[in-house]
C-alpha cells in the first residue's frame, strides 16, 4: 500500500466519524496548547523578574543586616547591625571597583496633600542615591548635601505618588504631610519628582527624604549609641569589577568595624539576585511544563483508546483486506497513518491556539499584575514532536493487534 492510499483511507475514516474524531483530538489540542501557553508564562515571568531586578540599577551590590536568633524563643529576626557610619567608612576606604555608595532606611507612612492621600514607603537616603540606583529626577532636584547637613524637611516624590497627591501636576513647592502614626507627623516641602521607574517593588510609589532628617525626627531610626541605623547600603561597582573581590573587601571592613567573629550582615550582588530569580523561574517553568505534559499524555491515551475501539469495530473490514491480499504492513500503515493524522492535526490546531493565547495574554492585567509571556520556539517543537510521537505510539499497538486477527475469524465477525 502506498502512503498516499493509506492517507486517503485515514482521512475517509476520520471524516466518517467526525464527532468521535473531534473529541479524540481535543485532548491533544488542549495538551499542546497548555504546553505552549504555560511555558510562555513561566519564561515570561523569568524575563519580567530579571528586568525588574535590572531596573534597580546596574552593577549593584547590597549590604543588609543579617539574621539574629532569639535565645528564648529561637525565632529569627533581622539584626540592627548597619549604620550610616558604616556607609561613611566604606566611602572613606575607597575600595577598588566601587564608584558609588548610598545608605538608606525605609518605613511606611501616610502621605497627605490636601484632600488626597496615599500610603507608601519612605526612603531616607543621601544625594548619591540617584547615581548609585540610576534613578533620574524628572522635575526639580533630588536631596542635596545641604539638605542632609541641615536635616531639611524636603521630600522627593515618585512619579505615581506625585500624580496621586497632585493630580494637576503642580507638585513642586507644595506641602506634604507625612503621618507616621497617631499624632506623629511632619510637613515636608516637595523639591522634586522622580522619573517613572517601576521595578521589583513599585519604585514610583516611594518618597525620598534626607536620612539625617529621619534621624532627628524619628527616634526609632537611631540605635542605642545614637547612630543612624540603616536598612540597606547600596553600592555601585564599575562594569568590569571583580565582584567577589569587592564583596571580600566590604566584608572584611565591616567585620572589623563591628568587632564580630562572623558577619552580622549580608552582602549580595545584583547577579546573585538574578541567579536566585532565574532558579525560581526555571523551577516554575518546569512545574508548569510538567502539568501541561500530563494533559498531553492524557490526550495521547485517548487517541490510543479510540484506535483500539476502531480496530474492534472494523474487524470485518480488516478480514476482507487480508482476504484480498493486504499484507500485515499494509494494515499497520493504515491504522498508524490514521492515528498520526489525528495527532498531527490536533498538534497543529493546539499550536495555533497556544501561540494565539500566549500573545493575547502578553501585557494584559491579570489579578492586578501585568502578564509577560515569552513564546519559546523549542516549546512549539517539543509539543508538536510529542503529539506526533503520541500518535505513532497510539497507533502502533492497535495496528499490530489488528494484524494478529485471523482473516477467517475476521470475515465471520458481524
Amino acid at each position: 500500500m502506498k502512503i498516499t492510499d493509506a492517507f486517503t483511507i485515514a482521512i475517509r475514516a476520520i471524516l466518517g466519524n467526525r464527532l468521535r474524531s473531534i473529541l479524540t483530538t481535543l485532548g491533544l489540542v488542549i495538551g499542546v496548547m497548555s504546553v505552549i501557553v504555560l511555558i510562555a508564562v513561566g519564561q515570561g515571568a523569568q524575563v519580567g523578574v530579571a528586568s525588574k531586578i535590572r531596573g534597580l540599577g546596574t552593577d549593584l551590590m547590597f549590604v543588609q543586616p543579617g539574621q539574629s536568633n532569639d535565645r528564648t524563643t529561637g525565632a529569627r529576626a533581622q539584626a540592627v547591625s548597619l549604620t550610616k557610619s558604616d556607609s561613611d567608612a566604606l566611602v572613606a576606604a575607597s575600595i577598588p571597583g566601587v564608584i558609588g555608595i548610598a545608605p538608606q532606611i525605609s518605613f511606611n507612612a501616610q502621605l497627605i496633600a490636601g484632600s488626597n492621600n496615599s500610603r507608601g514607603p519612605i526612603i531616607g537616603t543621601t544625594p548619591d542615591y540617584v547615581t548609585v540606583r540610576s534613578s533620574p529626577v524628572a522635575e526639580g532636584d533630588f536631596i542635596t548635601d545641604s539638605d542632609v547637613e541641615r536635616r531639611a524637611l524636603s521630600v522627593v516624590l515618585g512619579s505615581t505618588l506625585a500624580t496621586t497627591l497632585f493630580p494637576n501636576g503642580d507638585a513642586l513647592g507644595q506641602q506634604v504631610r507625612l503621618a507616621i502614626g497617631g499624632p506623629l507627623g511632619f510637613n515636608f516641602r516637595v523639591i522634586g519628582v522622580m522619573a517613572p521607574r517601576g521595578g521589583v517593588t513599585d519604585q514610583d510609589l516611594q518618597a525620598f527624604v534626607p536620612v539625617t532628617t529621619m534621624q532627628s525626627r524619628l527616634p526609632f531610626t537611631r540605635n542605642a549609641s545614637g547612630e543612624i541605623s540603616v536598612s540597606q547600603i547600596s553600592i555601585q561597582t564599575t562594569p568590569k569589577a571583580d565582584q567577589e573581590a569587592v564583596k571580600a573587601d566590604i566584608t572584611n571592613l565591616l567585620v572589623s568595624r563591628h568587632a564580630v567573629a562572623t558577619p552580622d550582615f549580608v552582602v549580595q550582588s545584583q547577579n546573585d539576585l538574578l541567579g536566585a530569580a532565574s532558579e525560581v523561574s526555571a523551577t516554575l517553568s518546569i512545574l508548569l511544563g510538567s502539568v501541561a505534559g500530563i494533559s498531553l499524555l492524557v490526550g495521547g491515551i485517548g487517541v490510543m483508546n479510540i484506535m483500539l475501539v476502531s480496530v474492534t469495530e472494523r474487524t470485518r473490514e480488516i478480514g476482507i483486506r487480508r482476504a484480498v491480499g493486504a499484507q500485515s504492513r499494509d494494515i499497520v500503515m493504515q491504522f498508524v497513518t490514521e492515528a498520526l493524522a489525528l495527532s498531527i492535526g490536533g498538534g497543529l490546531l493546539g499550536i495555533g491556539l497556544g501561540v494565539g493565547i500566549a500573545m493575547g495574554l502578553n501585557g494584559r492585567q491579570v489579578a492586578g499584575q501585568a502578564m509577560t509571556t515569552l513564546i519559546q520556539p523549542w516549546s512549539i517543537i517539543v509539543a508538536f514532536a510529542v503529539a506526533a510521537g503520541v500518535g505513532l505510539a497510539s497507533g502502533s499497538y492497535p495496528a499490530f493487534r489488528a494484524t494478529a486477527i485471523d482473516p477467517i475469524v475476521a470475515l465471520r465477525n458481524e
Side-chain angles (χ1 to χ4, degrees), residues 13 17 20 303-319 331-332 334-336 338-339 394-406 410 413-414:
N17 295 278
R20 186 170 71 182
V303 173
M304 179 177 288
N305 181 56
I306 293 301
M307 294 308 300
L308 286 170
V309 172
S310 181
V311 168
T312 302
E313 289 179 346
R314 295 159 66 182
T315 300
R316 185 174 178 83
E317 176 190 335
I318 294 170
I331 303 300
V332 170
Q334 175 187 340
F335 285 95
V336 168
E338 186 174 332
S394 300
S396 297
Y397 174 68
F400 283 108
R401 183 175 174 181
T403 61
I405 300 176
D406 189 296
N413 186 73
E414 294 295 337

Side-chain angles (χ1 to χ4, degrees), residues 11 13 17 23 66 70 79 109 190 204 210 240 249 269 309 313 340 347 370:
I11 296 300
N17 295 278
L23 295 177
D70 189 312
V190 179
D204 299 330
K240 296 183 180 180
D249 290 340
S269 70
V309 172
E313 289 179 346
L340 281 173

Side-chain angles (χ1 to χ4, degrees), residues 85-95 101 253 257:
S85 61
D86 288 328
S87 174
D88 295 338
L90 290 171
V91 173
S94 299
I95 296 174
I101 297 175
L253 175 61
R257 280 183 53 81

Side-chain angles (χ1 to χ4, degrees), residues 5 10 25 35 48 87 95 147 170 208 213 217 223 237 261 266 270-271 275 288 303 369 391:
D5 296 332
T25 57
V35 168
S87 174
I95 296 174
D147 292 325
D170 54 350
F208 303 88
T213 301
R217 306 288 177 172
N223 61 18
T237 64
V266 178
Q270 201 169 17
N271 291 335
L288 294 176
V303 173
Q369 296 291 327

Side-chain angles (χ1 to χ4, degrees), residues 315-366:
T315 300
R316 185 174 178 83
E317 176 190 335
I318 294 170
I320 293 172
R321 290 183 182 279
R322 294 293 300 277
V324 297
Q327 301 296 316
S328 296
R329 64 175 179 273
D330 298 323
I331 303 300
V332 170
M333 182 181 294
Q334 175 187 340
F335 285 95
V336 168
T337 303
E338 186 174 332
L340 281 173
L342 286 171
S343 300
I344 291 174
L348 292 174
L349 183 56
I351 289 173
L353 289 174
V355 170
I357 292 174
M359 292 177 65
L361 287 175
N362 191 36
R364 291 188 177 274
Q365 292 285 333
V366 177

Side-chain angles (χ1 to χ4, degrees), residues 81-265:
S81 58
L82 291 178
T83 63
K84 183 177 180 296
S85 61
D86 288 328
S87 174
D88 295 338
L90 290 171
V91 173
S94 299
I95 296 174
V98 173
I99 57 177
I101 297 175
Q104 66 182 72
I105 182 172
S106 61
F107 64 95
N108 288 327
Q110 194 78 17
L111 294 96
I112 304 168
S115 60
N116 300 315
N117 68 89
S118 176
R119 187 169 183 82
I122 311 301
I123 309 296
T125 188
T126 60
D128 291 328
Y129 184 92
V130 288
T131 303
V132 172
R133 298 295 290 272
S134 303
S135 301
V137 178
E139 300 177 54
D141 300 304
F142 195 70
I143 298 165
T144 64
D145 290 326
S146 175
D147 292 325
V148 175
E149 292 173 3
R150 294 185 296 108
R151 297 178 172 84
L153 291 173
S154 302
V155 63
V156 181
L157 304 178
S159 59
T160 302
L161 182 60
T163 302
T164 301
L165 297 178
F166 302 99
N168 296 327
D170 54 350
L172 291 182
Q174 299 292 331
Q175 294 290 317
V176 173
R177 184 169 181 78
L178 270 65
I180 312 301
L184 187 59
F186 305 95
N187 292 325
F188 283 72
R189 185 175 68 89
V190 179
I191 62 172
V193 176
M194 305 297 290
R197 289 296 305 277
V200 177
T201 56
D202 194 344
Q203 299 177 77
D204 299 330
L205 289 173
Q206 295 175 342
F208 303 88
V209 300
V211 66
T212 51
T213 301
M214 296 180 69
Q215 179 199 28
S216 62
R217 306 288 177 172
L218 305 177
F220 61 79
T221 63
R222 300 191 296 269
N223 61 18
S225 60
E227 291 192 89
I228 305 174
S229 298
V230 298
S231 55
Q232 179 174 285
I233 300 174
S234 299
I235 299 172
Q236 187 180 36
T237 64
T238 56
K240 296 183 180 180
D242 184 344
Q243 294 204 346
E244 291 304 317
V246 174
K247 273 187 185 181
D249 290 340
I250 293 171
T251 301
N252 292 337
L253 175 61
L254 294 182
V255 165
S256 176
R257 280 183 53 81
H258 295 182
V260 292
T262 57
D264 54 355
F265 53 87

